[in-house]
């Protein structure tokens, strides 16, 4: 069969754009499509991990991100209702810690656009199938035209509501282990600018409430709630968000804070155990593969890493003649080798945060060397 492309990637977020960059380095002919036009927003906590920065550095994108509004931090501070946990050593080095997703994703997407073919405003509506093989996509372009494109491999990197995963019966629902989170931006909130703050409070744990500076004047505030916990309360996540900013520990901080827009909610498909993320002619990556960390809830780094793994492995696979599930198995093996054990450990560790959370966090992250300080002091 003559294919239009070696690889079609559905979704131009961190997973899809990183995959496109990685696949282009391997010499593949790539089509990257997204329903939106960039820049576009994505509800998120906006925090970047060391893994994100390493991958950005690999593609020479650190300087581009530094040219955009961002925040740098050298520390994470954890709170409960009665204690504060200070890391054992305060780093003097500030690294990029946060970037609004409309900025961060656009930096990645524009880099991918420079080396691959892209189609923005393209809504994927169906997959092209022959017998049990995926060999392309079908959808509607921005001007309303119905179009089809074929490829040796189709990658679903289109987020938690992935049309690729849904069409293949692989969509991960909240019942399979998920979380919900809120996000709101505030100005005039008193923060140090050097710290990311995480509050493990009774209303949300083993989830947490966060305060993350994202630029010189704006702070990202939100809460993550694991599904079994918020379902039992019967309270909407946005109401828990409002309640927490009025709690005794935080109320004074928010008296002069000015909301920028509304509180928004979104769903997070968490990694728990290995699940099907590939098959004949297709793979899933990032949130579409359900890779979000089940302890802290970060997903940008895991999306980027799964995209990087995919691009590197597809370089050789797409130069061959076999695009079956067996041929694509190395991708799934590599992803679960990287994230499987640590995700299962996180799921098992999470209940320890239900009561007295800072001691286990100190033990896990700092080998007990952090300093716990009573908030009464």
């Amino acid at each position: 069969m003559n294919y239009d492309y070696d690889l079609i990637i559905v979704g131009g977020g961190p997973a899809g754009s990183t995959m496109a960059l990685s696949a282009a380095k391997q010499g593949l002919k790539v089509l990257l499509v997204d329903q939106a036009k960039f820049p576009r927003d994505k509800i998120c906590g906006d925090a970047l991990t060391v893994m994100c920065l390493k991958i950005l550095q690999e593609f020479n994108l650190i300087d581009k991100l530094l040219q955009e509004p961002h925040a740098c931090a050298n520390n994470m501070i954890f709170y409960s209702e009665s204690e504060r946990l200070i890391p054992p050593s305060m780093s003097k080095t500030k690294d990029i810690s946060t970037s609004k997703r409309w900025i961060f994703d656009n930096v990645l997407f524009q880099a991918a656009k420079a080396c691959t073919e892209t189609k923005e405003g393209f809504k994927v509506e169906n997959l092209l199938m022959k017998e049990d093989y995926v060999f392309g996509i079908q959808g509607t372009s921005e001007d309303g035209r119905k179009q089809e494109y074929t490829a040796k491999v189709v990658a679903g990197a289109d987020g938690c509501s992935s049309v690729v995963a849904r069409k293949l019966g692989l969509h991960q629902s909240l019942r399979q282990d998920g979380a919900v989170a809120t996000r709101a931006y505030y100005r005039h909130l008193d923060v140090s600018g050097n710290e990311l703050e995480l509050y493990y409070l009774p209303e949300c744990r083993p989830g947490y409430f966060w305060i993350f500076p994202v630029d010189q004047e704006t702070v990202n505030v939100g809460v993550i709630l694991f599904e079994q916990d918020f379902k039992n309360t019967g309270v909407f996540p946005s109401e828990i968000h409002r309640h927490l900013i009025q709690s005794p520990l935080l109320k004074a901080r928010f008296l002069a804070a000015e909301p920028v827009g509304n509180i928004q909610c979104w769903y997070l498909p968490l990694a728990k155990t290995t699940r099907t993320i590939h098959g004949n002619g297709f793979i899933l990556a990032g949130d579409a593969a359900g890779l979000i960390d089940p302890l802290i809830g970060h997903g940008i780094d895991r999306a980027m890493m799964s995209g990087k793994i995919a691009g590197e492995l597809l370089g050789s696979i797409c130069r061959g003649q076999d695009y079956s599930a067996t041929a694509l198995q190395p991708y799934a093996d590599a992803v679960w080798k990287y994230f499987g054990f640590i995700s299962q450990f996180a799921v098992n560790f999470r209940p320890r945060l239900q009561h007295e959370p800072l001691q286990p966090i100190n033990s896990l992250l700092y080998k007990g060397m952090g300093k716990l300080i009573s908030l009464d002091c």
Side-chain angles (χ1 to χ4, degrees):
M1 178 175 178
N2 293 321
Y3 296 95
D4 299 322
Y5 300 93
D6 295 313
L7 171 65
I8 293 175
I9 304 169
V10 182
S17 289
T18 304
M19 192 187 307
L21 287 164
S22 182
K25 285 182 70 173
Q26 301 296 317
L28 298 186
K29 184 180 181 183
V30 179
L31 173 63
L32 175 62
V33 304
D34 198 287
Q35 184 173 348
K37 294 192 71 175
F38 285 75
R40 57 93 178 100
D41 192 22
K42 172 74 165 61
I43 310 171
C44 184
D46 296 333
L48 306 177
T49 67
V50 172
M51 187 188 297
C52 295
L53 302 183
K54 286 182 177 178
I55 296 175
L56 286 174
Q57 188 67 60
E58 181 178 333
F59 293 111
N60 300 311
L61 294 175
I62 291 288
D63 288 343
K64 288 186 180 295
L65 191 59
L66 285 170
Q67 294 170 12
E68 303 287 348
H70 64 278
C72 294
N74 60 0
N75 205 23
M76 282 197 303
I77 305 293
F78 297 87
Y79 294 84
S80 70
E81 64 274 27
S82 59
E83 292 182 305
R84 178 173 58 176
L85 172 60
I86 308 295
S89 62
M90 302 284 283
S91 172
K92 295 182 180 180
T93 302
K94 291 185 184 180
D95 292 317
I96 300 173
S97 58
T98 52
S99 171
K100 289 183 178 179
R101 284 291 299 275
W102 73 267
I103 295 172
F104 181 83
D105 287 17
N106 192 50
V107 167
L108 273 174
F109 182 81
Q110 297 305 328
K113 189 174 183 178
C115 61
T116 61
E117 185 176 343
T118 60
K119 291 188 180 295
E120 299 172 69
F122 186 90
K123 183 180 180 181
V124 175
E125 296 163 334
N126 217 334
L127 301 176
L128 300 178
M129 304 281 296
K130 185 175 182 181
E131 297 177 349
D132 61 345
Y133 272 76
V134 178
F135 70 94
I137 59 172
Q138 183 182 63
T140 304
S141 63
E142 186 180 13
D143 60 8
R145 289 182 299 155
K146 298 291 184 180
Q147 295 178 313
E148 295 183 354
Y149 301 98
T150 62
K152 299 171 182 176
V153 176
V154 172
D158 46 340
C160 63
S161 59
S162 168
V163 65
V164 177
R166 287 181 184 275
K167 291 296 181 180
L168 293 165
L170 296 174
H171 176 253
Q172 180 175 333
S173 71
L174 188 60
R175 293 186 300 274
Q176 293 170 282
D177 197 37
V180 293
T182 66
R183 181 203 73 180
Y185 290 119
Y186 294 83
R187 294 193 184 101
H188 311 305
L189 183 60
D190 182 25
V191 293
S192 74
N194 297 334
E195 299 172 354
L196 305 181
E197 303 175 39
L198 292 82
Y199 292 81
Y200 284 85
L201 302 176
E203 296 89 339
C204 58
R205 61 184 184 231
Y208 62 92
F209 181 85
W210 70 77
I211 298 177
F212 296 163
V214 290
D215 56 39
Q216 291 186 343
E217 64 175 20
T218 314
V219 178
N220 184 318
V221 173
V223 61
I224 179 170
L225 303 160
F226 297 106
E227 58 94 10
Q228 69 270 27
D229 304 297
F230 88 85
K231 278 186 175 180
N232 292 337
T233 68
V235 181
F236 287 111
S238 56
E239 289 303 313
I240 295 176
H241 180 118
R242 293 187 184 96
H243 176 74
L244 287 170
I245 66 175
Q246 293 297 317
S247 65
L249 187 59
L250 293 163
K251 184 176 182 178
R253 296 274 301 279
F254 282 85
L255 285 177
E258 174 191 344
V260 182
N262 299 319
I263 299 172
Q264 296 181 283
C265 300
W266 84 102
Y267 163 63
L268 294 81
L270 304 176
K272 186 175 182 180
T273 55
T274 55
R275 57 187 288 261
T276 301
I277 59 171
H278 81 293
N280 293 330
F282 77 90
I283 62 169
L284 302 176
D287 291 6
L291 296 181
I292 293 175
D293 170 74
L295 184 63
I296 303 296
H298 56 84
I300 301 174
D301 53 352
R302 290 177 168 223
M304 294 176 73
M305 179 54 73
S306 63
K308 179 176 180 292
I309 291 170
E312 291 172 350
L313 291 175
L314 289 172
S316 58
I317 293 171
C318 288
R319 281 191 287 271
Q321 301 296 318
D322 185 359
Y323 323 117
S324 66
T326 300
L328 293 169
Q329 183 67 45
Y331 165 72
D333 291 344
V335 168
W336 293 122
K337 181 178 180 180
Y338 212 97
F339 296 122
F341 174 79
I342 193 171
S343 297
Q344 189 59 57
F345 173 83
V347 170
N348 295 334
F349 185 87
R350 199 165 70 201
R352 296 182 60 188
L353 304 182
Q354 190 67 59
H355 306 285
E356 302 295 333
L358 300 194
Q359 286 282 5
I361 290 173
N362 189 23
S363 174
L364 176 67
L365 296 183
Y366 306 122
K367 298 182 180 179
M369 300 299 290
K371 186 176 182 180
L372 285 168
I373 301 173
S374 172
L375 294 180
D376 294 332
C377 296

